Amino acid sequence: MSTLTQAESSFSSTSPLDMTRTMPPNITGFEERMRRALENVANQSDLAFLVQRHRFFGSEHERSSVANWLARRLGDTPEIARTLITGGTQNALMILLRSLVGSGGVLATEKFTYAAIGQLGRLLGIEVVGIELDDDGIIPESFEAACQRDNVVGLYCNPTCHNPTTSIMSTERRRALAEIARRFDVTIFEDDVHGALTDEAPPPLATFAPDRTWYIMSTSKLIGMGLRAAFVVGPSVEAVVDIQKKLPSVSAWFVPGVSTVMVADLIDSGDADIFASKIRAEVAARHALVRSIIQPIELVHAHHSSLHIWVDLPARWTIETFVEAAGAEGITVRNPAVFATAGFEITRNIRLSLVAPKSQDDLSWGLGRINRLLRS
Ligand SMILES: Cc1ncc(COP(=O)(O)O)c(C=O)c1O
């Protein structure tokens, strides 16, 4: 039930509530811990060195902290030489896709996917081919057919809390995709951006296909996108060194030094784990609001740790009329066309961020309005 009435809320069609983007939700103690991490940066004995020079992919110590921390997801601690800290997922993908798929190459991906992938494909001259999905993620037969038909070189996928559908791929599915990728010699780019926020996901695809997977986990949903930091684990030391050797001066994917000191500090102090568990609790509370407000709840596809929900629109709505009606109600909803790969269309679903609203009260207000539209 919405606890803010229209009169109490400050949202309107001219000053709407944003339900588009996903980022870490507000959690108690966040600013205090970030202030402490910033003070630690300020107190570095080599502050001038840190700011004035490249940090490349993090210091040995920082990469070791990250590698140990990633063992929570990967099972084993990856070698430091395989572990890079980069300036975000997208910067890493830009370099990896250009280097390993190449201009004119074919990249397979979920038919509905992270909006940046189509844009990166166009930027890099890479053909992006959509693969059919079901509730368990990529359908192996569809991936195999694409490999046979299209000479697929790479697979980008987001198996854990898939953006935008929220699905979590089963262990069997991960195993099947790994086997097909191996058979067709396809390189996998696994985006595990939700990996640290999900308490019950199967192990990453990288553990089923360690020989061919570039595993990427961003700090954008755990700490904040302002740090521009992500962790990349390559399939082998040789593969990682090879790319670094070819592009020693391309700073586009280097991590900012200030960010990497902060990230390593947050990991070493245990704060990163505290953030993850507080975000999980906050997001679970927001999902409880969804369950109490949206009816029928069967319209909602969600996992209790996903930062957004994927909603089936009743037949009376089109995407355009719903986006427009939500706008008139004071809510900004994103047109889902951005998630569709070429040749596919999203006609019946809307993605709603549960974390862009600053408070649970704001979210309740927005969900109440959305529910009214869904039922009208
Ligand atoms: C699927 C997915 N991957 C990665 C990211 C983060 O990318 P970056 O690390 O470049 O901020 C996001 C969110 O913005 C996302 O939705």
Side-chain angles (χ1 to χ4, degrees):
M1 207 63 57
S2 172
T3 50
L4 281 183
T5 64
Q6 173 66 55
E8 287 163 339
S9 110
S10 53
F11 305 113
S12 65
S13 56
T14 49
S15 171
L17 174 71
D18 177 32
M19 292 188 78
T20 63
R21 305 259 167 200
T22 60
M23 66 289 292
N26 286 333
I27 49 172
T28 56
F30 179 75
E31 291 197 353
E32 188 187 318
R33 287 167 197 276
M34 291 307 287
R35 245 176 233 118
R36 202 198 48 71
L38 280 163
E39 273 163 24
N40 174 48
V41 170
N43 291 330
Q44 294 287 304
S45 57
D46 59 352
L47 186 58
F49 192 94
L50 179 70
V51 173
Q52 290 167 347
R53 293 169 194 240
H54 282 311
R55 196 70 160 188
F56 300 97
F57 302 102
S59 68
E60 282 279 302
H61 164 76
E62 289 150 5
R63 287 165 73 174
S64 161
S65 294
V66 165
N68 285 322
W69 192 73
L70 286 179
R72 289 158 168 69
R73 265 306 270 149
L74 292 169
D76 294 323
T77 303
E79 293 103 313
I80 296 175
R82 278 203 298 141
T83 308
L84 307 176
I85 310 173
T86 66
T89 305
Q90 291 193 22
N91 291 345
L93 279 175
M94 202 165 62
I95 301 290
L96 293 176
L97 295 178
R98 185 64 183 81
S99 304
L100 301 171
V101 177
S103 176
V106 177
L107 178 73
T109 187
E110 295 101 344
K111 68 174 177 180
F112 305 148
T113 189
Y114 181 27
I117 300 306
Q119 294 166 35
L120 282 173
R122 284 191 290 282
L123 178 70
L124 302 171
I126 288 171
E127 186 186 349
V128 176
V129 171
I131 308 291
E132 288 293 344
L133 302 171
D134 62 14
D135 290 347
D136 204 6
I138 290 178
I139 300 176
E141 292 74 19
S142 178
F143 176 43
E144 184 164 1
C147 291
Q148 280 161 347
R149 193 183 57 229
D150 294 321
N151 195 21
V152 170
V153 181
L155 170 71
Y156 164 87
C157 61
N158 179 209
T160 300
C161 271
H162 172 240
N163 184 7
T165 68
T166 79
S167 71
I168 296 196
M169 191 183 283
S170 65
T171 300
E172 299 70 49
R173 233 357 124 77
R174 290 172 198 242
R175 200 168 277 131
L177 292 185
E179 187 278 317
I180 296 166
R182 192 165 293 119
R183 201 148 31 91
F184 288 91
D185 195 21
V186 171
T187 300
I188 299 172
F189 305 93
E190 178 177 20
D191 186 338
D192 198 28
V193 66
H194 277 86
L197 303 180
T198 309
D199 44 9
E200 54 176 36
L205 206 40
T207 63
F208 299 96
D211 54 318
R212 58 190 53 254
T213 303
W214 290 82
Y215 171 87
I216 311 175
M217 183 195 278
S218 177
T219 61
S220 286
K221 314 284 180 188
L222 174 69
I223 305 171
M225 53 195 79
L227 289 183
R228 301 313 306 138
F231 312 139
V232 174
V233 180
S236 65
V237 172
E238 296 72 37
V240 172
V241 169
D242 190 49
I243 289 198
Q244 288 175 294
K245 253 202 221 141
K246 286 181 185 143
L247 305 168
S249 316
V250 176
S251 64
W253 64 330
F254 295 169
V255 66
V258 168
S259 293
T260 194
V261 169
M262 289 179 76
V263 168
D265 179 31
L266 291 166
I267 288 176
D268 293 345
S269 64
D271 285 351
D273 289 323
I274 292 172
F275 290 166
S277 83
K278 285 193 178 195
I279 290 172
R280 280 200 288 267
E282 175 64 25
V283 170
R286 290 179 182 230
H287 278 280
L289 290 175
V290 172
R291 288 194 299 278
S292 70
I293 294 173
I294 303 288
Q295 286 170 0
I297 193 62
E298 287 69 31
L299 293 177
V300 175
H301 302 261
H303 180 268
H304 63 255
S305 61
S306 56
L307 302 180
H308 62 267
I309 55 175
W310 186 240
V311 180
D312 294 337
L313 290 186
R316 95 164 194 78
W317 294 102
T318 64
I319 299 294
E320 287 70 26
T321 56
F322 192 84
V323 170
E324 197 183 317
E329 290 282 340
I331 300 165
T332 308
V333 168
R334 201 174 194 191
N335 188 312
V338 292
F339 302 114
T341 54
F344 292 98
E345 206 186 343
I346 298 175
T347 54
R348 297 251 53 88
N349 292 93
I350 287 281
R351 193 189 87 152
L352 295 176
S353 168
L354 300 185
V355 287
K358 286 206 178 77
S359 65
Q360 293 185 19
D361 276 354
D362 287 355
L363 175 64
S364 297
W365 181 87
L367 290 173
R369 303 249 136 186
I370 294 285
N371 187 52
R372 231 170 49 196
L373 292 178
L374 292 173
R375 292 172 67 85
S376 63

